[in-house]
Amino acid sequence: ASGEDLVAPLRQFIDAFNKGDSASAYATYAKGEITIVDEFAPHRWSGPHAAQDWAAAYDKHAQATGVSDGQVKYGAPTRIEREGEFAYVILPTEYLYKERGKAMDEKGQITAVLHKEDGAWKIRAWTWSGEKPHAAK
């Protein structure tokens, strides 16, 4: 399979996040144990409901910190490793949002572990690594 196939679930997840389409976002995840690491506390979510738990924590954190209009842009993957039904993908990202009305910018990357299930690649784990956010130019 081409590298393009491996990035599809990540693109679908980010596009769904950007549109606020949780059903489409959750559809990108593998069955069973999921692990997510992100920049806001408690920083780690794991288990079969990690995706939903992370989304609830994101919303709670956004409300507490005045974050709105979150949008993630992404580029072409910088690394893809595949072995059988497993893959490792690094995708450069940029998180644009407003913090109490002020435009903010955070460049980073998502590192994801994918698993092929029933002929489709699904997200088993992802980690967000970002620079400290700064005011958008």
Side-chain angles (χ1 to χ4, degrees):
S2 71
E4 199 61 17
D5 300 333
L6 294 170
V7 185
L10 292 174
R11 284 197 313 264
Q12 181 182 328
F13 171 70
I14 295 169
D15 292 345
F17 170 84
N18 288 342
K19 289 186 295 213
D21 182 351
S22 55
S24 181
Y26 296 145
T28 63
Y29 286 96
K31 296 181 187 83
E33 293 282 317
I34 302 295
T35 303
I36 295 171
V37 175
D38 206 349
E39 62 191 339
F40 54 90
H43 304 294
R44 184 180 74 93
W45 296 265
S46 60
H49 301 291
Q52 291 84 352
D53 295 344
W54 169 83
Y58 174 89
D59 288 342
K60 185 178 171 186
H61 177 262
Q63 286 168 359
T65 56
V67 166
S68 64
D69 304 312
Q71 294 285 303
V72 176
K73 295 179 177 180
Y74 51 88
T78 53
R79 186 172 177 189
I80 294 177
E81 300 294 338
R82 180 187 171 185
E83 192 169 325
E85 297 179 343
F86 296 95
Y88 172 91
V89 178
I90 300 178
L91 197 66
T93 55
E94 185 172 12
Y95 178 43
L96 301 166
Y97 62 99
K98 289 184 178 152
E99 191 173 313
R100 299 190 172 88
K102 181 181 172 188
M104 299 292 287
D105 183 356
E106 178 185 346
K107 288 179 180 61
Q109 62 183 23
I110 288 175
T111 302
V113 176
L114 305 176
H115 182 222
K116 198 163 198 181
E117 291 181 358
D118 304 323
W121 289 98
K122 298 288 186 178
I123 300 168
R124 172 68 61 210
W126 62 263
T127 298
W128 172 270
S129 303
E131 64 183 18
K132 196 79 178 164
H134 58 267
K137 300 201 170 27

